[in-house]
Every structure is written in structure tokens, then in C-alpha cells.
Amino acid sequence: MKRILILFVLAGSMLSACNKFLETKPEDFVTPDNYYNTEADLDRALNGVYNRLVDNFGRMYSRGLFSFLSISDEFFYKNITITNLKVMDFDAGQLDVGKLWEVAYQGIDRANILLENVDKPKMDETRRKAIKGEALFLRAYFYFVLVDNFGGVPLKLKSTNNPLEKYLPRASVADVYASIVNDMKGADTLVSDISSYNYNERVTKTAVEAVLARVYLTMAGEPLKDVARYNDALIYADKVINSGKHNLNPDYSRIFINHSENKYDLQECIWEIGMYGNQLGNTQLAGAVGIENGVECTDDKIGYSTGPLKITARMFNLYAATDLRRDWAIAPYKYVTNTTTGVTTKTPYTAVQIYDRTVGKWRREYETVTPKNRNYNSTNFPVIRYSDVLLMKAEAETQVSGAPTAAAYDAVNKVRRRGYGKPINTPDATVDAPAGLDKADFLTYLQDERARELAFEGLRKHDLIRWGLYLSKMQSLAVDISTNAPSGFRYGANAAKNITARNLVFPIPNTEITVNHLVTQNPNW
């Protein structure tokens, strides 16, 4: 990570990170009995919890949660046709699914250990509260990742002290969410304000509130359908908006250029996962943002990417031609290197080359860390942005009111105006959402707007599932690609063809089922 970085080892768990500007040496092996005696000890332990959000092997936000673990109707993988998670052809023994489970529980156990020892040292109480709050939130967030992807999971709120401890059965989805909400609401009273930092990799008050709005919206949808939670989502979205701490960046592309340039935007990006370095030194906390989901390029100086994520025509056609977000989220060009001269040229796609295009949100040409590694970089990933909060407000407000209100329209239109390069706070009939929509039509419009604004940010699958639309959208996508795509790209329908009702959640990993006989498997896996 750029700021929240250490090299730290705790008995039973390797916790690794590093400082963006100051690398530290590895610590000796320690145990809770002889550790957690100083504020610095707590800071290092907390950084070890954050560390699991990166994961060296790419199953969290360094790669998987915005790519192969989030297959939706936005993209398909280039040249992968069968027997692969990337085309949804896998079983409960799939390694990446198992590692997602494992890494999330590592983060939970680290948070549990920290919370059990947070009161040990003599230190500034404000800082102690902030550390406790961040640990509570992170524990809850790891559970949110788990319940969102696996359904009900064992709810472990104490650290592992003995390998012979009894295993736990799966808690219900409702009970997991109750724990998540309890921890996040507790964190909201403890963490620091974002104005306390000049970077956004720490969990701060508005980050907690923004994610809580997302959690409540999820609870209101599938599978819980706890519609009373729409009101809670509205309350927490409004807390972020009314805080005055955030605003839309007037330049949509600049959000993602900032990530590549290692610059912070605390107004738009409420919470980011920090990556560090390029995996060429001792520090192993780099990611693959802009590589796994990058512009096709074989020139290492510009920034190598095979362009593995090909976009669907459905995604491309959601945008109007005048929507500036289209040709930023979706690359309008690739880099072609002449094998004879070695000269690399930016080559635009033609109007008919829709399926040739790749994700373009994070472009390696803007990266500042050199030399550029082919597989890793230091580009941060945004977990939640202010535009997402505005769109969540519009959705929750409409659900609570029973019809789209002026406030809901205003929230959506601010996002749309920015997308078209218009003044954010000035009504503009050429781009604003159509007036007079009823509830159903407005929510459908809003669903498309979320797709346009948050494309390729790991949220589309999540949204479709909570709206109860994932299966129907993927089934229609399979027909669309099989019928209308150029023949050379019709394999892009394979992932959608493989999706059935079982794919609303991942299987509980075989590694867990084998050792914990109290855990039951998800249906049809």
C-alpha cells in the first residue's frame, strides 16, 4: 500500500506491507503475549489487517474482485473458451475461489486478534479509538465480501488461539449481515474524519457510512429482501452527502489517471485499496489494475497488457456517443508495435470493432513507477466513489418514497452531467434523466446509469444479483453474443451460457468442507 504499509509477522500469520516513502525491515516472530505493547505495535497489526485486501496472489482487490471473480455482462475474457473460472466452468475445488475464502478469513482473524489486544498499550485514546474502529470495520468488510460471494458463512468473532478449537457451522445470511451492521455502526463512532489524512487508503467516517449505505441496499435486495433497509441506506447516503467532505471530480477521466499517477483525490474517491511498487523488490503489495483490465499494448515502456478483458456490445451500447465516459471506460484504441522497426503506434478501433475493444479505465501510459513490470503495478483501486453514493441515494430515495423525487433526480443528474462534461449543478435538458418517469422506469434507468458510471469497478455482478437480474441478464447476453457478435468473438458467450441458478453464489471451497463437517455446501455445487 502507499501509506498503510509495513513488514510484520504475527505468530500463525504472515502480515506484510510497506511504507510508500520509507521501507522497514521484517520484524522477528512475535506472539500476542509479548506484542501489542505500544501504539506502534497496534499500527503494524492494523496494517496487517489492511494487507489482506491486497493479497499477493490476486484474489482480492489486486485483481480478482474486479475481474475473474466478478463475471457479468460487462466483459468476457479473450481467447478463453472452456474449463476455466473465467468462463464460469469450475467446481468447488477451484483454487481462486478457495483462496478468496481463505484470505478473507485471514483478515478476519487478524482483526479479531487486534480487537482483543487494542486496550493493552498506554497511548493516545483518540488514536486507540480510531484503530479499534478501523479494525471493526475491516472485520465487517471481510464478512461482507464473504456473504456477498458465498451466502451464509461461519461467523467467527474471536481469534484462533488453539488449532483444536471447535469448528463453527454456517450462520444465516441475516445473522452475518446483522454482525456486519453492528461492527460498521460501532466503527462509525470511532474512526477519524477523512480530513485527518491527505490520502484515502484509511477507513474514515464517510467511508464507513458510504459502505454502510451499500450494505443496507444489498440487504434490501436479493436474497434477504429486507425492504425496510432502503430507509437505512438513504440515511447513510445522506450522511456522506451532508458531510460536505466529498464532491464529484468535474473530469471523469482524471479520477482514473490520478490512480495511475499515484495521486489522491479525497473528494471523489472515498476509500481506495492502496497498492505499492511493481513486485520487483522485496515488497509484495503490488496489484494489476490496468493490467488485468488494461489497454492492449506490448510495449513495456508504455505499459504492457494483453488486454484480456474484452467488452460486450451490450456494455458499449449503453452509452450515448456523446457520453464522455464511453471512450474512457472502454478503450477506443490499442497500441501496435511494428516488429521490424520496434515503433509503437496508438491505433484507433474502427466503428465496427466493438468486440475488439478492451477495458480502458486505468491506462498504463500514465503510470509513474518505473521500470514497469508486465504483471504488477502500484495503481490503487477505488472501493467506493462519491458518484456511487449519489446513485445509491437516488435508488434508496425512490424505493422509500414510492416514486422518483426531485432529490433522486438531482442525484442522478449530477452524475450524468459530469459524464457528459457539463456543469454538475446546472440543469441541462440535453443530458438530464427524462422527466416524469414512474418508479419502475426510473429504477431501470438508474440501473443503466450505475452500469455506465461504475463500469468495470467490480460492482455490476453484485448489483445484478441484488436486483434479481443476474440470471436473466446473463441468459440474454448469451443469446445476444451468439447471434450478433462477429464469428471470431462468439466464444464470448460461453461464460453466460454456463451460468445457472447455482452461480448466484460461489461454492463453499472443498478445503473448508473437508475439514469442517459442520459446513454445508451451497445448492447444486
Side-chain angles (χ1 to χ4, degrees):
M1 298 179 179
K2 291 181 173 66
R3 298 276 185 160
I4 311 172
L5 307 166
I6 59 164
L7 289 176
F8 174 66
V9 182
L10 182 62
S13 299
M14 177 69 76
L15 314 187
S16 62
C18 70
N19 192 290
K20 179 71 173 175
F21 304 111
L22 177 65
E23 293 192 13
T24 58
K25 296 181 179 179
E27 302 286 339
D28 292 331
F29 281 93
V30 294
T31 68
D33 292 336
N34 62 16
Y35 203 68
Y36 301 103
N37 294 317
T38 67
E39 180 177 337
D41 289 345
L42 295 188
D43 276 328
R44 283 190 286 269
L46 178 61
N47 292 345
V49 184
Y50 277 102
N51 166 275
R52 294 296 73 201
L53 293 167
V54 178
D55 172 40
N56 299 344
F57 299 100
R59 280 85 185 201
M60 295 293 282
Y61 284 107
S62 56
R63 189 184 301 263
L65 285 181
F66 58 79
S67 57
F68 54 79
L69 295 173
S70 295
I71 301 293
S72 73
D73 59 355
E74 296 176 311
F75 62 82
F76 59 94
Y77 268 88
K78 180 174 72 175
N79 296 334
I80 298 178
T81 59
I82 59 172
T83 320
N84 197 296
L85 172 62
K86 296 173 181 178
V87 289
M88 303 301 284
D89 184 6
F90 66 100
D91 59 25
Q94 212 287 327
L95 177 63
D96 294 295
V97 172
K99 285 296 183 181
L100 175 65
W101 175 283
E102 178 183 320
V103 170
Y105 272 110
Q106 286 174 353
I108 289 165
D109 204 50
R110 294 178 184 186
N112 285 338
I113 296 171
L114 175 54
L115 289 167
E116 290 162 5
N117 290 277
V118 71
D119 293 325
K120 283 181 65 175
K122 293 181 179 180
M123 59 182 291
D124 177 76
E125 288 303 317
T126 299
R127 180 67 194 126
R128 188 197 310 276
K129 288 180 180 179
I131 291 172
K132 181 179 180 180
E134 289 174 64
L136 279 171
F137 173 86
L138 291 171
R139 179 172 71 178
Y141 193 77
F142 283 117
Y143 271 118
F144 185 41
V145 170
L146 286 168
V147 73
D148 200 35
N149 284 284
F150 295 95
V153 295
L155 194 56
K156 191 172 188 300
L157 302 177
K158 294 182 179 180
S159 64
T160 301
N161 296 310
N162 187 325
L164 299 179
E165 287 181 5
K166 293 182 179 180
Y167 288 106
L168 298 172
R170 296 176 69 174
S172 68
V173 170
D175 284 346
V176 177
Y177 272 110
S179 179
I180 291 168
V181 167
N182 184 63
D183 277 357
M184 288 190 179
K185 290 178 77 170
D188 191 32
T189 66
L190 298 170
V191 296
S192 300
D193 191 274
I194 195 167
S195 59
S196 301
Y197 306 101
N198 60 3
Y199 55 96
N200 50 10
E201 295 159 347
R202 284 279 185 195
V203 171
T204 58
K205 187 171 180 64
T206 45
V208 173
E209 291 164 353
V211 174
L212 252 174
R214 180 181 290 172
V215 167
Y216 279 128
L217 267 187
T218 308
M219 295 172 70
E222 299 282 355
L224 281 183
K225 299 182 182 179
D226 186 359
V227 295
R229 302 285 76 80
Y230 281 122
N231 189 62
D232 294 315
L234 179 59
I235 289 170
Y236 278 90
D238 277 339
K239 283 178 181 286
V240 178
I241 293 166
N242 295 333
S243 72
K245 303 295 181 181
H246 300 284
N247 214 329
L248 295 175
N249 188 320
D251 183 347
Y252 184 75
S253 63
R254 174 45 62 180
I255 301 166
F256 310 101
I257 294 172
N258 283 341
H259 292 147
S260 297
E261 292 181 341
N262 289 334
K263 294 177 180 177
Y264 296 106
D265 176 1
L266 279 64
Q267 290 283 300
E268 171 87 29
C269 296
I270 300 173
W271 181 38
E272 295 179 359
I273 305 302
M275 314 297 171
Y276 177 83
N278 54 15
Q279 215 84 345
L280 294 178
N282 293 327
T283 303
Q284 305 293 302
L285 281 173
V289 181
I291 301 173
E292 181 77 4
N293 52 353
V295 177
E296 187 172 342
C297 178
T298 58
D299 190 323
D300 290 321
K301 291 183 179 179
I302 295 172
Y304 184 90
S305 173
T306 61
L309 299 191
K310 293 290 188 181
I311 65 96
T312 64
R314 172 182 290 180
M315 190 68 228
F316 184 85
N317 292 328
L318 273 178
Y319 295 96
T322 52
D323 190 333
L324 302 180
R325 295 171 297 184
R326 187 191 73 179
D327 287 346
W328 190 263
I330 299 170
Y333 59 83
K334 64 179 177 179
Y335 285 99
V336 177
T337 301
N338 186 302
T339 56
T340 302
T341 65
V343 176
T344 300
T345 305
K346 183 184 288 188
T347 305
Y349 292 111
T350 67
V352 298
Q353 288 180 302
I354 294 177
Y355 281 93
D356 296 80
R357 301 176 191 226
T358 65
V359 177
K361 231 164 192 179
W362 293 273
R363 304 187 181 186
R364 299 204 70 192
E365 60 208 71
Y366 293 98
E367 288 178 16
T368 56
V369 175
T370 56
K372 295 180 181 179
N373 188 311
R374 287 194 166 195
N375 299 308
Y376 300 96
N377 61 10
S378 60
T379 300
N380 277 11
F381 185 84
V383 176
I384 195 155
R385 298 194 284 113
Y386 186 63
S387 60
D388 191 354
V389 175
L390 290 174
L391 296 176
M392 288 193 293
K393 174 187 171 57
E395 182 177 352
E397 176 104 14
T398 302
Q399 292 284 6
V400 170
S401 301
T405 64
Y409 264 104
D410 181 61
V412 171
N413 287 334
K414 284 179 178 178
V415 175
R416 286 189 56 76
R417 291 169 200 152
R418 192 268 298 276
Y420 284 79
K422 305 287 187 177
I424 291 169
N425 295 310
T426 304
D428 190 320
T430 66
V431 302
D432 285 357
L437 295 174
D438 63 18
K439 177 183 176 182
D441 288 342
F442 184 82
L443 290 175
T444 298
Y445 189 89
L446 179 61
Q447 289 166 359
D448 288 346
E449 190 59 31
R450 283 187 65 83
R452 288 185 282 263
E453 173 66 22
L454 303 169
F456 316 119
E457 295 183 40
L459 290 171
R460 179 64 173 170
K461 177 184 175 184
H462 166 87
D463 279 345
L464 290 176
I465 289 174
R466 70 180 179 87
W467 291 327
L469 297 175
Y470 187 60
L471 292 180
S472 62
K473 287 288 188 181
M474 298 308 287
Q475 289 165 356
S476 63
L477 179 71
V479 174
D480 182 25
I481 295 178
S482 297
T483 304
N484 300 315
S487 58
F489 288 106
R490 290 186 180 175
Y491 70 86
N494 287 1
K497 288 178 180 177
N498 287 329
I499 288 174
T500 65
R502 74 176 190 169
N503 296 107
L504 295 174
V505 288
F506 286 133
I508 304 300
N510 281 343
T511 50
E512 181 70 17
I513 295 285
T514 300
V515 299
N516 183 358
H517 298 296
L518 297 178
V519 169
T520 56
Q521 184 56 275
N522 282 322
N524 301 315
W525 283 105

